[in-house]
Amino acid sequence: MSAAALLFAAALAAPGTALAEDAEPGPEQITNGDFAAGTAPWWWTANTSGVVSDGRLCAEVPAGTANAWDVIVGQNDVPIVAGESYELSYTASSSVPLTVQTRVQEAVDPYTAVLASADPVGTEPTQVTRTFTASVDQPAASVQLQIGGGERATTFCLDDVSLRGGAVPPVYVPDTGSPVRVNQVGYLPRGPKSGTVVTDADAPLTWTVKAANGSTAATGTTVPQGEDPSSRLRVHTFDFGGLTTAGDGYTVEVDGEVSEPFSIRGDLYDGLRSDALAYFYHNRSGIEIDAALVGEEYARPAGHIGVAPNKGDTDVPCQPGVCDYRLDVSGGWYDAGDHGKYVVNGGISVAQLMSTYERTLTAPNAESAELADGQLRVPERDNGVPDILDEARWEMDFLMKMQVPAGKPLAGMVHHKMHDAQWTGLPTKPHLDPQQRELHPPSTAATLNVAATAAQCARLYAPFDKPFADRCLRAAETAWAAAKQHPDVLADPNDGTGGGTYSDNDVSDEFYWAAAELFTTTGKDAYRQAVLSSDLHGDADAVFPAGGGISWGSTAGLGALTLATVPNALTAAQLTEARAVVTTGADRYAAQSRAQAYGLPYAPNGEDYVWGSNSQVLNNMVVLATAHDLTGDAAYQDAVLRGADYLLGRNPLNLSYVTGYGERNSHNQHHRFWAHQNDPALPHPAPGSIAGGPNLTAAASGDPVAAEKLTGCAPAMCYIDDIGSWSTNEITINWNAPLAFIASYLDDAGDGGQAAPARACEVAYSSHPWSGGSTVTVRLRNTGSERVSPWSLTWLMPGEQRLSHTWSAEFTQDGRTVSAKPLSWNRTLAPGAAVDFGFNVSAKASSPDPGAFKLNGRACTSG
């Protein structure tokens, strides 16, 4: 056991958590566990039968069942007492190896489990032993061995089944590997480079960075930090930011302990940008996932298109008593580990994907080339639309389908969610889900999510698909009007059968977000007044709170980021105020990052790491990245990079939470069809999938794996990479969306230098105002070493400026987006050459010049 593991075990055995090693085992609670009395009171599903053979209970498991629970051997009426620890054991074999889903759970809906584990069983007798502590009373629990879901028939045999109370739960000690913690992917050459080492040493220790060939690349001494409250372990930190030499296979050695290897390179995040965005294609509903795009391992048939056993999403009824119509709500993304589709989760997710693209139009150093048509893994490639917008459209179209039709009660409102009538189990591929799909009641929160995202959609898709953009704007304004008419229709917090509740009793933040997006897109005074009159406007403490931040239930920050970055009709003073809200929030998160031993920009009150804490880290990083885009202040980018360090290995568990990235990474996340841990024939989650992360209340959440393994855990160590731990290890669209934004930002950061990297183009924009407008001349110069042909220069026009007379280029304007393309005689820009063009604009008021120009998706400097 490593020194860090010993320290962690000691922390778990703190006063008040000692275990009674001499406790007598309780009475046997399984009847006839050795089958000496035949088969009673054991039962099995109707598609098999149990017989006693050679003193074992054997059952023939049919081929081709879809789910583990399709074939069960079990015993009911087993009393379970909350807080009691139990040991369940049995011996089993199978003529065809399978994975048993071992369950102790309620016998009836909602089937709450106090033990849920996946246990491989082979052809030779295998003993399985599981210890658990019951989280709830279950006077008549069911002990079940779920053995279906296999393609081949098999004979399953069982013996020596025992369940006793009074067990001593083993102390779960996570394998944290080396106590030297670093970003296991690596560091940008000119960015900050920090690490943390777990040690009881009082005095500073020597650290040494070794290159792959064993030579010393850098050395220094650590800084003792005392006890880190997030891990309850004593730590030192070290800084090797002076090392800028690119290379792979670096390690850090401290006091004889060696870190995981890492790289120093400027292109570290190229793959993560692509993989994090591919997550959304992988999780599309209603379309075949093509092996040519994702590989054979991840290819699958279309889910929920009405092909048996699916009921389909093209003609979905409401829950009984909710409505008298049916809707086509096909498409969209599966939300998380289940097959549900939720508007409030989809809303923030699609907004952040669209913002990842919109950032390339507004941030001086952001580039859209890697998000452009033909660059990502989407089937709509080569259609003239940026691939990231193709992906976002798949969800945006679904969200608008969830709107209540005209002429119906609550017309214009949006159904909160749709999912299976009952929970499906692990694993279940989408095309094999047999459950009836149902629409759930509309909510004001869902309606405002559609108002906000559809408004953003309207301005971004206008240059590429004007009819779709117009449809988005109609949906947005219809939703806004409906929400104003029905401002307090809240989702039922008890509506949690078959899917999550996503209830929210405060929708003031959704109103603010929607108003900000509608105002930015339309400039209408009604939306301006809704923004300016909101209690949230200008309140950085409410919008970007110290202990939390942006989430599906707290969306005001999305509106604040839009107002601060996307050209709109705010006055200069109002724009300054909007940007100050962002920088104030970013200052708070940057200070948290500098103060913490692991460098993360997240410091929840009382170390209360919440469900999906990694998404809170990421969303705080989005605020920091935006502040850096606005100001160029290196402190903000440094905090983003330290946040990436935490997520990719510099944390108390020495684990990268992103699948496929880092030597030690999460790869058993809770998911219905990326379920290799439960079924070796299924894949692990795809690279670029981020786990939810530490959750302080996981053990008390009803999560059986967390209850068994994480009781008493330190806050930042309340995580386990187990498919059964839905409270710590789920993956969701609204956690991967900020990862995609940040990966794109980090890839744009390039070599990590705070000065803008060398650009291949320069733009001189000169405005000459006159009454009611201005005349603009533009000089575009190729400062690179290669000719550019053809060229396209894109920018956003601040204020309400409209182009009129133009010359020497072909112009298009869609809302505030302007593109200039060559004429036949100036199509090619040789290295060092320049082209001049211009236009007149009309405007009701003076407006600032544009702040960012992109040549064929690449950022230009302003001359």
Side-chain angles (χ1 to χ4, degrees), residues 181-183 187 193-197 236-240 597 645 650:
R181 312 291 161 74
V182 296
N183 181 330
Y187 300 84
K193 301 174 188 69
S194 306
T196 305
V197 58
H236 293 197
T237 56
F238 52 91
D239 186 325
F240 56 105
D645 295 345
R650 185 195 173 192

Coordinates of all heavy atoms in Angstrom, one line a residue, residues 181-183 187 193-197 236-240 597 645 650:
R181 N 1.3 14.2 -7.6 CA 0.1 14.4 -8.5 C 0.4 15.5 -9.5 O 0.8 16.7 -9.2 CB -1.1 14.8 -7.6 CG -1.3 13.9 -6.4 CD -1.7 12.5 -6.9 NE -1.5 11.4 -5.9 CZ -2.2 11.3 -4.8 NH1 -3.2 12.1 -4.5 NH2 -2.0 10.3 -4.0
V182 N 0.2 15.2 -10.8 CA 0.5 16.1 -11.9 C -0.7 16.0 -12.9 O -1.5 15.1 -12.8 CB 1.8 15.9 -12.6 CG1 3.0 16.1 -11.7 CG2 1.8 14.5 -13.2
N183 N -0.7 16.9 -13.8 CA -1.6 16.8 -15.0 C -1.0 15.7 -15.8 O 0.0 15.8 -16.4 CB -1.7 18.1 -15.8 CG -2.6 18.1 -17.0 OD1 -2.8 17.0 -17.6 ND2 -3.1 19.2 -17.3
Y187 N 1.4 19.8 -19.9 CA 1.4 21.3 -19.7 C 1.8 22.0 -21.0 O 2.6 21.5 -21.8 CB 2.4 21.6 -18.6 CG 2.1 21.0 -17.3 CD1 2.5 19.7 -17.0 CD2 1.4 21.6 -16.3 CE1 2.3 19.1 -15.8 CE2 1.1 21.0 -15.1 CZ 1.5 19.8 -14.8 OH 1.3 19.1 -13.6
K193 N 3.0 25.5 -14.5 CA 3.2 24.1 -14.3 C 3.3 23.8 -12.8 O 4.3 24.2 -12.2 CB 4.4 23.6 -15.1 CG 4.4 23.8 -16.6 CD 5.7 23.5 -17.2 CE 5.7 23.9 -18.7 NZ 5.7 25.4 -18.8
S194 N 2.3 23.2 -12.2 CA 2.3 23.0 -10.8 C 1.9 21.6 -10.5 O 1.3 20.9 -11.3 CB 1.3 23.9 -10.1 OG 1.5 25.3 -10.5
G195 N 2.3 21.1 -9.3 CA 1.9 19.8 -8.9 C 1.7 19.8 -7.4 O 2.0 20.8 -6.7
T196 N 1.3 18.6 -6.9 CA 1.0 18.5 -5.5 C 1.5 17.1 -5.0 O 1.4 16.1 -5.8 CB -0.5 18.5 -5.2 OG1 -1.0 19.8 -5.7 CG2 -0.8 18.5 -3.7
V197 N 2.1 17.0 -3.9 CA 2.6 15.7 -3.3 C 2.0 15.5 -1.9 O 2.0 16.4 -1.1 CB 4.1 15.7 -3.3 CG1 4.7 16.8 -2.5 CG2 4.6 14.3 -2.8
H236 N 2.3 19.1 0.1 CA 3.2 20.1 -0.4 C 2.8 20.4 -1.8 O 2.2 19.6 -2.5 CB 4.6 19.7 -0.3 CG 5.2 19.5 1.0 ND1 6.6 19.5 1.3 CD2 4.6 19.3 2.2 CE1 6.8 19.2 2.6 NE2 5.6 19.1 3.2
T237 N 3.1 21.6 -2.3 CA 3.0 21.9 -3.7 C 4.4 22.2 -4.3 O 5.3 22.5 -3.6 CB 2.1 23.1 -3.9 OG1 2.6 24.3 -3.2 CG2 0.7 22.8 -3.5
F238 N 4.5 22.1 -5.6 CA 5.7 22.5 -6.3 C 5.4 23.1 -7.6 O 4.3 22.9 -8.2 CB 6.6 21.3 -6.5 CG 6.0 20.1 -7.2 CD1 6.0 19.9 -8.5 CD2 5.3 19.1 -6.4 CE1 5.4 18.8 -9.1 CE2 4.7 18.0 -7.0 CZ 4.7 17.9 -8.4
D239 N 6.3 24.0 -8.1 CA 6.1 24.8 -9.3 C 7.3 24.6 -10.2 O 8.5 24.9 -9.8 CB 5.9 26.2 -8.9 CG 5.5 27.1 -10.1 OD1 6.0 26.9 -11.2 OD2 4.8 28.1 -9.9
F240 N 7.1 24.1 -11.4 CA 8.2 24.0 -12.4 C 7.9 24.8 -13.7 O 8.2 24.3 -14.8 CB 8.5 22.5 -12.7 CG 7.4 21.7 -13.1 CD1 7.3 21.3 -14.5 CD2 6.4 21.2 -12.3 CE1 6.3 20.5 -14.9 CE2 5.4 20.4 -12.7 CZ 5.3 20.1 -14.1
A597 N -4.6 23.8 -2.6 CA -3.4 23.0 -2.8 C -3.4 22.2 -4.1 O -2.4 21.8 -4.7 CB -3.3 22.0 -1.7
D645 N -5.4 21.0 -15.0 CA -4.5 20.1 -14.2 C -5.3 19.2 -13.2 O -5.1 18.0 -13.1 CB -3.5 20.9 -13.4 CG -2.6 21.7 -14.3 OD1 -2.5 21.5 -15.5 OD2 -1.9 22.6 -13.8
R650 N -4.1 16.1 -11.4 CA -3.6 16.7 -10.2 C -4.7 16.9 -9.2 O -5.2 18.0 -9.0 CB -2.9 18.1 -10.6 CG -2.2 18.7 -9.4 CD -1.9 20.2 -9.6 NE -1.4 20.8 -8.4 CZ -1.3 22.1 -8.2 NH1 -1.7 22.9 -9.2 NH2 -0.8 22.6 -7.1

